[in-house]
Amino acid sequence: MLALVGLINIAGHANPTKELLWLFSVSVGIIMCKIVYDLTGAISPFLFKGFVKLDDKTRLEWNNRGFSTFHALIVVAASLYLLVGSDLFHDSSRDELVINRTSAFSDTVLGISTGYFLTDLAMIIYYFPALGGLEYVLHHGLSMLSIVQSLVSGQGLIYILMVLFSECTTPFVNLRWYLDVAGQKSSRFYLFNGVALFFGWLVARIVLFIYFFYHMFTHFDQVKQVYPMGFYTLLTVPPVLTMMNLFWFTKIAKGMVKTLVKSWHRR
C-alpha cells in the first residue's frame, strides 16, 4: 500500500509520515464501518421489535445505512470545523494559496472518508443491486476519485470539504427509509423528517453547490495551478454530482408534496 501511494506522489505532497497517516486513517474508516455495521445489527432489535422479522436483504440495508449515517455525522462535523471553525482557509491565516492548504487533521478526515467509500462501494458491488443501482456506483466512484486525488496531491481540499458537508442530508435520507420500513409513513415524525430533508437538500446540495461554483470562478487563477488530472476532475465531477443532486431533489420534492397531501386529507 505504501509503495502504491509512493508511486502517485502528486505535486511532491507525499512523504513517509503522510503515507503512514493515510494508510492508518483509511484503515480506521474501514474498521469504523465494520464496527458500526455490527453494532447497528446488535442494537436495532431493542429499538425496533420488528427488526427480527425483516428479511435478510432488508437487514443488510438497515445495517449498511447505520454506518452510512455515522460516517455522515463525522465528516459533516469535521468539514464544518475545517471550513468555518478553524483558520485553515481564512484569507490572512497563511501565505500559501487556498487551493493548497491542508493539515494532518484534514488528511485524517479524507482518509477515513476514503475508507468508508471503499467499504460501501464494495458492498454495493458485491450485493448489487440490493443496496443501490448504477447511480450509486457512479456517485461513490466519483466521490472516492476526488477525495483520493485531493489527499495525495494536497490540492483542492476546500472543495472536497464543501462536497463532504453536503452529506448532512444523509441522516435524513436514512431516517426516511427506516421509518418507511418500520411502517411509520403516516406518522408526523415521517412528515417532519421529509420537510427537513427537502430544505436540507435545497441548502446543502443545491445552494451550497452554487456557492461551490462561484468560489471556483472567483479563485480560478488558483484552480488552474492544480495538477492536470485534478484540474479536469474539478471541472467535470462537480457538474455531474450537481445533476445527480438535482435529479434526486425532484424525487424528494415529489415525495414531500405527496406526503403533505395525504396528511392534509387525513385531517
Side-chain angles (χ1 to χ4, degrees), residues 13 20 23 30 34 42 55 67 76 94 105 115 125 136 139 151 163 167-168 176 179 204 227 230 237 246 258:
H13 181 63
L20 285 172
L23 178 61
I30 295 172
K34 171 60 177 173
D55 57 63
F67 72 73
V76 167
R94 303 189 182 192
F105 178 62
I125 294 175
Y136 286 92
H139 175 271
L151 182 63
V163 175
E167 286 291 308
C168 65
R176 183 182 185 181
L179 291 171
Y227 79 102
V237 171
L246 288 170
K258 185 178 179 180

Side-chain angles (χ1 to χ4, degrees), residues 143-163:
S143 298
M144 193 163 57
L145 172 66
S146 302
I147 292 171
V148 170
Q149 285 190 88
S150 181
L151 182 63
V152 300
S153 70
Q155 297 182 314
L157 173 66
I158 186 172
Y159 299 120
I160 298 299
L161 293 175
M162 287 185 192
V163 175

Side-chain angles (χ1 to χ4, degrees), residues 17 172 203:
T17 301
F172 298 105
V203 173

Side-chain angles (χ1 to χ4, degrees), residues 65 120-121 124 131-141 173 244 248:
R65 287 179 181 269
D120 202 32
L121 182 59
I124 290 173
L131 295 176
L134 291 175
E135 69 274 14
Y136 286 92
V137 176
L138 176 62
H139 175 271
H140 280 38
V173 173
M244 296 177 73
W248 283 323

